[in-house]
Amino acid sequence: MLTRKLLPQPQEKDWFMFSAGLMLHVSSDYIAMRLLHQLEPLTSMPTICVLMLDVVEKALKLHLAVQTQTATALTDMATKYGHNVEALREACAGFAPVFADPDVRDFAKHLNDRDGKLYQQLRYGSQKTTEGFSTNLSTLRPVVDKIFCESILQLPESIRRVLVYSSPLKHLIVGNRFDQSRHPAGLLEALRRDNAYFDALSDYCHRIEKEQSDLLAKMTATQQPQTDA
């Protein structure tokens, strides 16, 4: 059963703790969105659409938290932005111009309120001031790919490396012993198909995995006792 462990008093999350937890969740959401869109794009359309918005909102919050590095990241994101994806996009564009690209702006322009009225419509099927919506998942998905991948790849290298190295997405892509997926080949195919950003993300994951492996090998070699010839 699902249980909740309560804290004796509220505890703030700084930018690093906030972004570390968010990296885990947004990676899982992105994998799930990509897989579901490949397997059941019609019967799962409402769920896929919500996942797309979840990925974009979390990815932008991750990027902004790392770039601003405040001591009150959890509160900042909740009170200042909420579900306002457009405000998040605009803030992120101040750090990475890619978030000001026309396709990213078009994606976010109706997701422009803190309470997330369109988000509520998508999640529950009704909302007091929203009659409905129209979209095309095949048009949205490339923009979601772009926002998710660029939110990570545009981070400063020192922090990007730490966040990506321990993520389930990286474990899946490189196929190391920490990968817990039951069907890695199918998941990788779902991530790769029609994804203009997959190669860049994959190359980065493999590079930092190799660098870490090389470093461990050097450390092991230096610790081995030397023998006379």
Side-chain angles (χ1 to χ4, degrees), residues 4-221:
R4 178 186 179 190
K5 184 178 180 181
L6 293 171
L7 292 167
Q9 60 185 14
Q11 291 184 6
E12 184 57 77
K13 297 291 185 182
D14 66 12
W15 69 271
F16 182 77
M17 294 303 297
F18 178 80
S19 59
L22 201 51
M23 184 67 189
L24 171 65
H25 285 268
V26 73
S27 296
S28 180
D29 287 348
Y30 184 67
I31 294 169
M33 180 276 292
R34 264 282 178 170
L35 179 64
L36 202 54
H37 188 261
Q38 176 175 308
L39 295 179
E40 291 294 343
L42 298 180
T43 57
S44 300
M45 183 174 61
T47 301
I48 296 169
C49 198
V50 171
L51 277 171
M52 286 181 172
L53 265 63
D54 280 342
V55 167
V56 167
E57 181 182 323
K58 290 174 183 175
L60 291 174
K61 285 181 175 177
L62 170 67
H63 189 85
L64 188 58
V66 172
Q67 295 286 19
T68 55
Q69 298 192 9
T70 68
T72 55
L74 179 59
T75 296
D76 294 343
M77 295 301 168
T79 58
K80 186 174 181 179
Y81 298 102
H83 296 299
N84 193 330
V85 173
E86 169 58 17
L88 287 164
R89 181 208 63 76
E90 186 176 11
C92 288
F95 297 98
V98 67
F99 299 117
D101 286 354
D103 54 349
V104 181
R105 295 173 71 97
D106 286 344
F107 184 100
K109 66 182 179 181
H110 291 292
L111 301 166
N112 58 355
D113 65 285
R114 182 180 173 279
D115 294 335
K117 294 180 176 60
L118 180 54
Y119 184 60
Q120 183 181 3
Q121 175 73 32
L122 293 169
R123 292 176 67 200
Y124 298 106
S126 59
Q127 198 275 328
K128 290 182 179 180
T129 61
T130 305
E131 182 178 2
F133 69 95
S134 62
T135 191
N136 183 315
L137 294 185
S138 294
T139 301
L140 290 182
R141 200 207 61 231
V143 188
V144 177
D145 292 335
K146 179 177 184 175
I147 294 172
F148 173 78
C149 293
E150 293 288 15
S151 291
I152 296 170
L153 294 174
Q154 294 286 335
L155 290 175
E157 171 61 16
S158 59
I159 305 302
R160 177 178 61 183
R161 175 183 294 269
V162 173
L163 294 176
V164 173
Y165 188 79
S166 58
S167 73
L169 183 63
K170 177 254 185 182
H171 297 328
L172 169 64
I173 288 175
V174 303
N176 64 21
R177 62 189 178 91
F178 298 108
D179 178 33
Q180 296 180 328
S181 59
R182 295 184 178 182
H183 306 284
L187 291 178
L188 287 171
E189 171 59 23
L191 289 172
R192 183 182 294 108
R193 179 175 294 183
D194 298 325
N195 189 342
Y197 294 86
F198 179 80
D199 286 346
L201 189 62
S202 177
D203 289 347
Y204 182 72
C205 289
H206 281 284
R207 176 165 69 82
I208 61 175
E209 178 78 355
K210 184 178 185 304
E211 288 174 357
Q212 184 67 18
S213 297
D214 291 346
L215 178 61
L216 290 175
K218 289 180 180 178
M219 292 175 61
T220 301

